[in-house]
């Protein structure tokens, strides 16, 4: 009880002491006599209030009771015959509470931590305890060396200011995290599992090294779950101590572990005590198999699957619990899932606490039960995992307390909101495209509603764009993610096709979760593709069709092509395939995404599988008519301690459903398929106009990647730096545009294709309506190294690749220009990087 509360209690007891205001009546041996109470020294506290304490007992008891109110700095109680004399010295009243020197923590935050309040009693003891509280607040915020003192500034009329002077220190982070008893996993590996990191040269831009005992406890739970997931069923944290080291000027965390042996799964069975529930019918819902490494997460998944299925069959109060039969000698754990009728307990109330930003319903909807439903511990545990996986909270804790009746329980969900917005920047450089960068803002918990919003802008030497995305994860109150995407992207394809393009449109999508790992997303997209060919003095890419006076041979003032070898083709001309596609094209398509994801971590996966299959049909109105299907699958496996292997396969095919496929509907690929190649650097090209430009795209591609990621020896793991080596291979082929042509003047290794394009009569000696398509199904491959950095600004990746195999093109002579050169061939890009930041 605070001094202010005690003072209020004091005054309340006074109102009940009617009859004691002047004298106290004592009864002794049947004789009634009066004892006077004299009060001295009081200025603001009413005498009658003080007299009310005269019935507390002897002088010492009266004195202690009055001092406990916090209204007095000194109290003396004495007896003068039949009189009780109470002499008091009143405390001043607090005029205001002020803070000096605080910059890191605002006064509005500190005022809530102290018990000295304006208009409350002034007490040195209270000020001293407030100083201790403030030191603890600064210590938890990571500034343990901060010095704090409290002083009293007297004012007239018995009032005083309480002033806390704060000399803030630098951040006192976690200097060391030490492990003992671990032999299977290295200390650096275990530190990598923790969200708490050690202080280093990046401490000025990170907060993960700030000492927080709650976060450390959560980290120890992460370590425990890691061991249980990898077969160490006997694992336990023996002890952990947190101590502030004055010499290091920071915290030292010492953790002692007992790993125990690694177990395999023995026999697995289901035992049902419920009528009409055949154990054999539940076996397919079990996620553990004999011979597997024991995995506590698989056991939890089995419990959820079995509980959900039994509940679906009408047993709302059924409970499923695992029974382990341990064979210590053989290091086997036999698992029996016991299904029986549980206690009939109902959820009386669900309390959500600690959420300052996230709305209550965002938390509640992750529970598969509500008020009045049958209580089920397995479902509550799954809700806790879901809440943790949302990424909205620093910590989540679900506890129970008894309800108003024996068959009622109250569920308490305690959460702590965290920052969910992000700022990201990515970029790259190539000799063909120059510098390109993207800046994006995203929020995964928009306005605390759990909605995802992202807006991004792309700016580069030859590209610009903007896109917007919004996702509501619970559409109409159901576990259906509905979203909309809007985008507009401009590209200057000078180096790949001598044209400019802009794609503008949108998409509506709905994601239906089938299981925890598998989902289906139907979607509808509509967008326009505008192709424009520059035709200016600086960029005469269409002057064979529209001659430019003074530039194009045959026009007044232009150079004579026959004399100088200069003509509308050699000054840079778009392929006739692009000219045929010039203008605006509307695409309206429907598609499905089939997604499977069993990764252990979306951000930094070490184990698991993720795959996506995307069939699409364009032709629901619009100009494009095609069928398209693409697939992408990735598998991660931790080969050694913190060494992760990664395999990726991808492929796709597009086919026109009416006539030939339009050029803009082909695949254009480069480093996303094989690193070491430039954007649109792989695949068919028109080599008639330009030896290496004028990419046409292809209808079919496939590729694969092998990569191994590893820690960099000698560097602290919490720096987030990792290395990688990789090998990529893939190809893009089969251009499906134009029609067969009898033209026989194409350079060797290319095929003539005719397009419906008009050429100016004066320029037909230089360009016809024929393209010479070099379409070689050559396997491209590369090897390279990468540097991956989980920096405080976000993930950053550097790739350097060397092409092993490629289409080298072929030497030949262009019959229209007479130029001898190497025609065709892929375009390379050795270096790429990307990065991001969070706020």
């Amino acid at each position: 009880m605070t001094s202010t509360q005690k003072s209020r209690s004091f005054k309340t007891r006074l109102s009940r002491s009617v009859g004691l205001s002047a004298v106290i009546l004592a009864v002794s041996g049947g004789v009634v006599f009066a004892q006077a109470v004299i009060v001295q020294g009081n200025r603001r506290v009413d005498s009658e209030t003080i007299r009310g304490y005269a019935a507390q007992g002897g002088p010492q008891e009266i004195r202690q009771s009055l001092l406990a109110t916090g209204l007095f700095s000194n109290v003396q109680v004495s007896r003068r015959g039949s009189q009780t004399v109470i002499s008091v010295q009143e405390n001043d009243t607090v005029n205001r509470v002020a803070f000096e020197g605080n910059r890191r923590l605002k006064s509005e935050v500190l005022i809530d931590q102290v018990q000295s309040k304006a208009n409350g009693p002034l007490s040195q003891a209270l000020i001293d305890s407030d100083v201790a509280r403030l030191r603890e607040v600064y210590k938890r915020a990571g500034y343990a060396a901060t010095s704090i003192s409290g002083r009293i500034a007297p004012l007239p009329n018995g009032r005083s200011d309480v002033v806390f002077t704060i000399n803030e220190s630098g951040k006192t982070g976690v200097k060391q995290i030490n492990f003992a008893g671990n032999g299977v996993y290295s200390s650096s590996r275990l530190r990598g599992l923790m969200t708490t990191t050690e202080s280093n040269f990046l401490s000025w831009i990170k907060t993960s090294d700030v000492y927080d005992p709650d976060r450390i406890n959560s980290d120890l739970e992460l370590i425990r779950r890691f061991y249980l997931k990898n077969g160490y069923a006997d694992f336990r944290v023996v002890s952990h101590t947190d101590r502030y080291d004055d010499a290091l000027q920071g915290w030292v965390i010492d953790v002692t572990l007992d790993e125990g042996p690694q177990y395999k799964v023995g026999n697995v069975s289901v035992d049902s005590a419920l009528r009409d529930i055949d154990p054999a019918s539940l076996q397919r819902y079990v996620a553990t198999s004999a011979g597997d490494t024991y995995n506590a997460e698989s056991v939890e998944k089995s419990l959820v699957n079995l509980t959900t299925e039994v509940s679906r069959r009408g047993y709302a109060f059924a409970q499923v619990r695992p029974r382990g039969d341990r064979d210590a000698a053989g290091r086997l754990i036999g698992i029996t899932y016991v299904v029986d009728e549980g206690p009939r307990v109902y959820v009386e109330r669900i309390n959500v606490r600690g959420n300052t930003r996230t709305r209550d319903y965002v938390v509640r909807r992750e529970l598969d039960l509500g008020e009045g439903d049958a209580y089920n511990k397995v479902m509550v545990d799954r809700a806790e995992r879901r809440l943790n996986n949302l990424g909205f909270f620093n910590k989540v804790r679900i506890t129970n307390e008894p309800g108003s009746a024996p068959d009622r329980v109250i569920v308490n969900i305690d959460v702590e909101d965290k920052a969910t917005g992000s700022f990201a920047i990515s970029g790259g450089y190539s000799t063909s495209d120059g510098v390109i960068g993207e800046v994006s803002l995203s929020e995964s918990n928009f306005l605390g509603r759990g909605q995802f919003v992202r807006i991004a802008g792309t700016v580069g030497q030859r590209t610009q764009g903007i896109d917007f995305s919004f996702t509501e994860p619970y559409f109409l109150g159901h576990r259906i993610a509905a979203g909309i995407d809007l985008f507009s992207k401009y590209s200057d394809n000078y180096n790949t096709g001598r044209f400019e393009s802009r794609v503008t449109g949108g998409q509506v999508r709905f994601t239906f979760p089938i299981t925890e790992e598998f989902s289906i997303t139907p979607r509808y997209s509509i967008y326009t593709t505008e192709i424009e060919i520059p035709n200016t003095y600086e960029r005469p890419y269409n002057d064979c069709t529209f001659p430019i006076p003074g530039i194009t041979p045959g026009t007044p003032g232009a150079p004579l092509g026959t004399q100088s070898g200069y003509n509308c083709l050699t000054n840079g001309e778009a392929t006739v395939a692009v000219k045929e596609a010039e203008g605006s094209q509307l695409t309206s398509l429907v598609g499905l995404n089939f997604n499977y994801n069993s990764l252990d971590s979306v951000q930094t996966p070490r184990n698991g599988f993720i795959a996506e299959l995307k069939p699409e049909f364009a032709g629901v109105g619009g100009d494009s008519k095609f069928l398209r299907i693409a697939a992408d699958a990735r598998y991660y496996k931790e080969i050694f301690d913190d060494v992760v292997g990664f395999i990726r396969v991808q492929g796709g095919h597009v086919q026109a459903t009416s006539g030939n496929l339009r050029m803009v509907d082909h695949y254009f690929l480069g480093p996303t398929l094989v690193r070491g190649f430039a954007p649109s650097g792989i695949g068919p090209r028109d080599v008639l106009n330009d030896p290496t430009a004028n990419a046409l795209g292809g209808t079919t591609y496939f590729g694969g990647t092998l990569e191994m990621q590893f820690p960099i020896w000698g560097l602290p793991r919490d720096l987030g730096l990792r290395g990688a080596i990789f090998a990529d291979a893939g190809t893009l082929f089969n251009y499906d545009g134009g029609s067969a042509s009898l033209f026989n003047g194409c350079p060797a290794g290319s095929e003539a294709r005719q397009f419906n394009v008009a050429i100016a009569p004066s320029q037909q000696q230089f360009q016809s309506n024929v393209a010479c398509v070099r379409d070689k199904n050559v396997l491209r491959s590369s090897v390279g190294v990468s540097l991956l950095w989980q920096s405080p600004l976000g993930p950053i990746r550097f790739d350097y690749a060397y092409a092993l195999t490629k289409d080298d093109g072929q030497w030949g002579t262009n019959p229209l220009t007479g130029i001898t050169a190497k025609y065709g061939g892929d375009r390379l890009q050795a270096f790429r990087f990307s990065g991001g930041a969070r706020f």
Side-chain angles (χ1 to χ4, degrees):
M1 181 180 295
T2 66
S3 298
T4 303
Q5 293 171 326
K6 292 176 181 177
S7 176
R8 292 173 180 167
S9 176
F10 173 27
K11 296 175 181 178
T12 301
R13 289 195 293 272
L14 168 66
S15 66
R16 297 174 180 172
S17 62
V18 178
L20 296 176
S21 60
V23 296
I24 296 178
L25 298 180
V27 180
S28 178
V31 179
V32 179
F33 61 92
Q35 177 179 321
V37 177
I38 300 174
V39 178
Q40 299 174 344
N42 56 312
R43 293 173 299 169
R44 294 183 309 277
V45 181
D46 188 68
S47 297
E48 299 300 325
T49 301
I50 299 173
R51 289 191 180 101
Y53 273 72
Q56 298 293 326
Q60 188 62 25
E61 288 79 5
I62 297 173
R63 179 177 183 275
Q64 293 298 329
S65 297
L66 288 171
L67 287 173
T69 65
L71 297 173
F72 310 103
S73 60
N74 188 28
V75 177
Q76 298 293 331
V77 182
S78 61
R79 293 283 173 82
R80 297 177 184 173
S82 62
Q83 295 179 332
T84 299
V85 179
I86 303 177
S87 300
V88 298
Q89 181 179 348
E90 294 180 354
N91 280 325
D92 284 352
T93 300
V94 176
N95 178 59
R96 69 186 180 97
V97 178
F99 302 92
E100 295 178 345
N102 57 307
R103 296 185 309 276
R104 303 185 189 279
L105 299 182
K106 301 298 183 182
S107 297
E108 294 79 5
V109 174
L110 299 178
I111 195 67
D112 293 333
Q113 306 298 323
V114 298
Q115 292 187 358
S116 296
K117 303 294 183 184
N119 299 318
L122 181 67
S123 170
Q124 185 62 50
L126 197 59
I127 294 173
D128 292 341
S129 65
D130 286 340
V131 168
R133 291 188 190 92
L134 293 174
R135 285 174 179 162
E136 184 64 26
V137 171
Y138 269 90
K139 182 182 294 185
R140 292 178 66 89
Y143 306 99
T146 296
S147 61
I148 303 174
S149 62
R151 61 184 174 87
I152 298 173
L155 299 172
N157 302 319
R159 302 180 70 83
S160 296
D161 287 343
V162 175
V163 181
F164 295 98
T165 302
I166 302 171
N167 183 16
E168 294 179 333
S169 69
K171 183 168 65 174
T172 51
V174 176
K175 297 297 183 179
Q176 293 179 3
I177 303 176
N178 303 318
F179 290 93
N182 55 309
V184 179
Y185 296 104
S186 65
S187 295
S188 61
R189 177 72 171 96
L190 298 180
R191 281 192 288 266
L193 298 172
M194 304 175 67
T195 57
T196 303
T197 63
E198 294 177 335
S199 298
N200 51 41
F201 69 91
L202 296 173
S203 294
W204 65 281
I205 54 174
K206 72 175 183 176
T207 59
S208 58
D209 63 335
V210 174
Y211 172 72
D212 184 341
D214 292 333
R215 182 166 60 188
I216 291 173
N217 288 330
S218 298
D219 288 337
L220 295 179
E221 176 62 17
L222 291 176
I223 293 174
R224 187 188 72 86
R225 293 186 66 85
F226 171 75
Y227 271 94
L228 293 180
K229 177 184 176 182
N230 288 279
Y232 296 90
D234 295 334
F235 171 82
R236 63 191 181 97
V237 176
V238 178
S239 65
H240 95 273
T241 58
D242 309 339
R243 53 188 173 88
Y244 184 79
D245 191 303
D246 292 325
L248 295 175
Q249 293 187 340
W251 292 89
V252 176
I253 314 299
D254 296 314
V255 183
T256 302
L257 309 176
D258 181 7
E259 292 178 323
Q262 186 183 49
Y263 288 89
K264 297 284 188 179
V265 176
N267 294 325
V268 179
S269 62
V270 179
D271 184 9
S272 174
L274 300 179
R275 186 181 59 183
D276 302 330
I277 297 294
D278 181 14
S281 67
L282 299 176
Q283 194 69 41
R284 65 191 184 98
Y285 297 98
V286 175
T288 52
S289 302
D292 291 347
T293 299
Y294 176 80
N295 186 336
E297 290 185 1
S298 297
V299 175
E300 292 172 354
K301 182 178 178 181
S302 300
L303 294 177
V304 171
N305 293 344
L306 292 169
T307 301
T308 303
E309 178 60 21
V310 171
S311 179
R312 189 186 66 82
R313 297 187 188 185
Y315 292 88
F317 293 97
Q319 65 179 12
V320 183
R321 50 188 175 82
R323 186 179 68 221
D325 301 317
R326 192 169 314 217
D327 178 4
R331 295 188 177 180
L332 295 174
I333 297 180
I335 305 173
T336 301
Y337 296 95
V338 181
V339 184
D340 55 20
E341 190 70 28
R344 292 183 172 270
V345 178
Y346 298 88
V347 177
E348 178 178 322
R349 190 170 67 253
I350 299 175
N351 298 322
V352 180
R353 305 182 301 205
N355 52 317
T356 57
R357 180 167 176 266
T358 305
R359 310 292 178 92
D360 275 15
Y361 69 83
V362 174
V363 177
R364 292 175 180 271
R365 68 192 183 189
E366 297 301 326
L367 280 78
D368 291 327
L369 47 82
E371 280 95 346
D373 290 346
Y375 175 80
N376 191 298
K377 181 66 167 57
V378 172
M379 295 302 181
V380 172
D381 290 343
R382 177 165 72 169
E384 186 169 355
R385 291 193 297 272
R386 283 177 174 174
L387 290 170
N388 277 308
N389 291 336
L390 287 177
F392 298 167
F393 310 108
N394 285 317
K395 59 182 179 180
V396 178
R397 185 168 178 262
I398 301 182
T399 57
N400 305 325
E401 63 181 66
S404 60
D407 62 345
R408 298 290 187 270
V409 66
I410 298 173
V411 178
N412 297 317
I413 306 176
D414 293 288
V415 299
E416 180 184 311
D417 285 307
K418 73 175 183 180
T420 53
S422 69
F423 164 78
I425 180 170
S426 61
Y429 176 81
S430 73
T431 55
S432 59
D433 292 333
V435 177
I436 182 174
E438 180 188 79
V439 178
S440 67
L441 293 172
S442 66
E443 172 58 68
S444 59
N445 189 14
F446 183 62
L447 298 178
R449 295 189 173 101
Q451 298 163 337
F452 175 81
V453 179
R454 180 182 184 271
I455 185 169
T458 303
V459 178
Q461 290 178 275
R462 300 183 181 92
T463 185
Q464 298 173 9
I466 186 170
D467 63 85
F468 171 81
S469 181
F470 173 83
T471 301
E472 166 56 62
Y474 275 77
F475 184 62
L476 299 179
H478 298 282
R479 199 179 291 274
I480 300 172
I484 183 171
D485 305 301
L486 304 174
F487 51 86
S488 179
K489 182 179 180 181
Y490 162 83
S491 299
D492 182 352
N493 302 282
Y494 163 75
N495 284 316
T496 59
R498 309 295 195 224
F499 67 94
E500 299 172 350
S501 67
R502 180 174 292 277
V503 180
T504 304
Q507 174 180 257
V508 178
R509 50 189 161 72
F510 299 89
T511 299
F512 296 86
I514 307 304
T515 67
E516 292 288 332
E517 295 87 10
F518 180 67
S519 64
I520 298 177
T521 303
R523 53 192 169 82
Y524 170 74
S525 302
I526 183 169
Y527 56 90
T528 61
T529 304
E530 299 179 27
I531 301 294
E532 181 179 346
I533 303 174
N535 198 34
T536 64
Y537 284 92
E538 294 78 17
R539 308 175 78 181
Y541 303 153
N542 201 16
D543 63 334
C544 285
T545 299
F546 301 102
I548 302 174
I551 295 293
T552 308
T555 62
L560 295 177
T562 57
Q563 295 179 355
S564 63
Y566 173 85
N567 57 57
C568 69
L569 202 62
T570 59
N571 65 10
E573 189 75 3
T575 172
V576 290
V578 173
K579 293 184 177 184
E580 184 184 68
E582 188 176 19
S584 180
Q585 172 181 320
L586 178 66
T587 301
S588 174
L589 66 81
V590 292
L592 281 175
N593 285 24
F594 298 93
N595 299 283
Y596 180 86
N597 187 347
S598 65
L599 297 181
D600 57 351
S601 170
V602 176
Q603 300 294 332
T604 55
R606 295 177 180 274
N607 292 283
F609 179 73
I610 183 171
E612 181 181 44
L613 180 66
K614 297 170 56 178
E616 297 173 325
F617 169 72
V620 189
D623 304 312
S624 296
K625 312 290 181 183
F626 62 79
L627 283 171
R628 183 164 62 194
I629 187 169
D632 190 346
R634 310 181 189 197
Y635 176 72
Y636 295 84
K637 177 67 175 178
E638 189 168 17
I639 305 171
F640 309 109
D641 181 19
D642 207 23
V643 177
V644 178
F646 161 51
I647 300 175
R648 179 184 184 185
V649 293
Q650 57 177 318
H653 178 74
V654 59
Q655 180 176 321
T657 57
S658 176
N660 289 333
L661 193 67
R662 300 172 69 93
M663 190 198 76
V664 294
D665 296 327
H666 286 71
Y667 290 112
F668 291 82
L669 296 174
T672 57
L673 183 66
V674 182
R675 282 166 285 190
F677 291 81
S680 300
I682 296 174
R685 300 180 180 281
D686 177 8
V687 299
L688 183 63
N689 296 15
D690 189 291
T692 60
N694 291 319
L696 300 176
T699 63
T700 305
Y701 75 93
F702 61 84
T705 294
L706 292 175
E707 182 171 305
M708 185 171 66
Q709 302 174 1
F710 49 85
I712 298 177
W713 184 83
L715 292 180
R717 190 165 304 190
D718 65 333
L719 288 183
L721 282 170
R722 294 172 61 82
I725 56 175
F726 63 83
D728 294 340
T731 189
L732 170 68
F733 60 95
N734 191 27
Y735 174 71
D736 182 27
S739 58
S741 173
L742 298 177
F743 179 72
N744 59 1
C746 285
S750 61
E751 176 188 0
R753 303 286 292 178
Q754 184 171 318
F755 294 83
N756 185 22
V757 175
I759 303 297
S762 63
Q763 306 301 315
Q764 289 180 1
Q765 58 177 317
F766 304 116
Q767 184 180 40
S768 67
N769 61 351
V770 172
C772 294
V773 179
R774 180 177 177 86
D775 187 358
K776 295 297 181 182
N777 185 8
V778 176
L779 184 68
R780 285 80 171 177
S781 63
S782 68
V783 293
V785 295
S786 301
L787 180 65
L788 294 77
W789 185 21
Q790 287 293 333
S791 75
L793 298 178
I796 298 176
R797 178 172 184 132
F798 303 86
D799 293 320
Y800 182 84
Y802 175 77
L804 296 177
T805 59
K806 61 184 184 296
D807 179 9
D808 286 320
Q810 187 169 340
W811 286 94
T813 301
N814 188 319
L816 297 180
T817 64
I819 297 176
T820 299
K822 181 182 285 188
Y823 288 89
D826 297 327
R827 310 189 74 164
L828 305 181
Q829 171 187 297
F831 176 74
R832 298 180 73 227
F833 84 93
S834 64
R838 297 188 63 83
F839 65 88

